[in-house]
Amino acid sequence: MHDDAPPAGSGPPDSGPPALRIALGGQLRRLREAAGISREAAAGTLRTSPARIDGLELGRELGRGGFTTRDVDDLLTRYGVADDRYRALARRATEPDWWQSYHDLLPGWAETYVGLEQAASRIRTYEVQFVPGLLQTADHARAVIRLVYDHAPEVERRVELRMRRQALLTAPGAPALHAVVDEGALRRTVGGPAVARAQLDHLLALSELPHVRLQVAPFHFGGHAAAGGPFTILGFTEPDLADLVYLEQLTSALYLDAPSDVAHYERVMDRLCTQVEPVGRTGAILASIRAEL
């Protein structure tokens, strides 16, 4: 995800981290079912429709323009649940998170990705054209963003957003990141040779982190399992968050969370990792490309 999607519309962003809304929704569904209460009965408690209860339990109806923490409290009372942990989770799920201050730059589908990325415990990605956004230097990110935007204040805010996303890699409990990057992305001198060399140095430093694995798909390998294009797989430890595949397009994105789809992309990633250069060769490849720039 490169943060260079077209800007969002004028509508307000969803409130709260998507991951927390999804987690709370799943827990509310389990509590309702354990209490033997139907969707219709739950809907009656809030004087709404069963379809909106479905939306709440899927993490789509909580926050601005949707259900409130008072509504969640009323449901918990109906379910006979006195545990304040659920009420605390509801409050957290409706609090704006840091990325919402950039909602004017991010359409809803991209804002959702940022929220899920922050909650992921595993990130596996294959990139063809650019270095993955989480691994870019500020100068490289600035050059990439300027391919689409030329308004300086907007460019700098997008660079700032990308750098803030990267903070998760050095935070406590950082996700395990495994990236396979096409050689073409590493040789593409976006921003000029000096920026490209600094980017390669940055990749080398990041690849030495214990939770970061970086592999290169070299030109001479020809075809491979991921010939269909770039993708990212997000994995979660939270049981109510299903692993998903993110496929970014120019003006939208696809989120695939069907178990069969996720399993297919996991197999593709597994095959790709065995077909390209092993992790142990990454440092030498980066150094060789750098020497040629």
Side-chain angles (χ1 to χ4, degrees):
M1 198 260 186
H2 300 295
D3 310 330
D4 45 17
S10 58
D14 290 336
S15 295
L20 293 183
R21 295 199 304 270
I22 294 170
L24 176 64
Q27 292 175 9
L28 289 174
R29 174 181 51 78
R30 287 201 303 272
L31 292 171
R32 176 179 60 76
E33 292 173 347
I37 295 173
S38 67
R39 293 182 305 122
E40 290 75 12
T45 300
L46 301 183
R47 298 181 181 180
T48 188
S49 67
R52 292 198 68 204
I53 294 296
D54 279 341
L56 175 63
E57 294 178 352
L58 290 172
R60 298 172 183 166
E61 288 277 355
L62 183 65
R64 188 176 299 176
F67 292 118
T68 65
T69 53
R70 174 62 183 271
D71 293 325
V72 172
D73 189 70
D74 289 344
L75 286 177
L76 292 172
T77 299
R78 176 68 186 275
Y79 303 160
V81 177
D83 194 332
D84 284 338
R85 289 179 301 173
Y86 299 108
R87 292 171 173 83
L89 179 57
R91 288 193 297 272
R92 288 175 55 208
T94 55
E95 292 173 354
D97 219 316
W98 67 260
W99 57 85
Q100 292 189 14
S101 63
Y102 299 92
H103 76 270
D104 57 315
L105 303 180
L106 292 172
W109 54 266
E111 188 172 336
T112 295
Y113 177 83
V114 174
L116 292 172
E117 179 184 71
Q118 298 294 306
S121 59
R122 302 175 306 281
I123 303 174
R124 306 181 78 190
T125 186
Y126 168 60
E127 185 56 73
V128 180
Q129 187 173 3
F130 298 112
V131 172
L134 287 177
L135 303 179
Q136 293 178 6
T137 65
D139 286 339
H140 183 89
R142 185 174 293 106
V144 170
I145 291 168
R146 281 176 175 162
L147 295 174
V148 180
Y149 299 96
D150 57 9
H151 184 53
E154 181 175 347
V155 168
E156 291 309 310
R157 287 189 65 220
R158 288 181 180 275
V159 173
E160 180 183 272
L161 167 60
R162 195 163 303 182
M163 296 303 103
R164 291 193 67 177
R165 281 176 54 207
Q166 294 178 8
L168 67 86
L169 292 180
T170 53
L177 173 64
H178 191 169
V180 177
V181 183
D182 191 85
E183 182 178 349
L186 301 175
R187 290 187 176 276
R188 187 168 288 110
T189 55
V190 181
V195 170
R197 286 192 291 269
Q199 176 63 67
L200 291 168
D201 291 340
H202 184 62
L203 289 176
L204 183 58
L206 288 175
S207 68
E208 295 175 353
L209 295 175
H211 57 285
V212 175
R213 302 182 70 197
L214 177 63
Q215 291 180 262
V216 178
F219 291 144
H220 66 79
F221 271 47
H224 50 68
F231 60 87
T232 298
I233 306 170
L234 299 180
F236 306 93
T237 54
E238 167 59 54
D240 292 306
L241 289 174
D243 293 355
L244 60 86
V245 177
Y246 174 77
L247 303 174
E248 186 170 322
Q249 301 170 338
L250 287 177
T251 58
S252 62
L254 293 176
Y255 290 86
L256 307 178
D257 60 2
S260 58
D261 289 331
V262 176
H264 174 76
Y265 277 88
E266 290 279 13
R267 289 192 298 270
V268 168
M269 189 69 179
D270 289 341
R271 289 179 57 200
L272 175 64
C273 292
T274 62
Q275 292 172 332
V276 302
E277 293 283 7
V279 173
R281 287 270 299 140
T282 298
I285 295 172
L286 294 178
S288 176
I289 295 175
R290 189 190 190 286
E292 297 174 16
L293 295 177

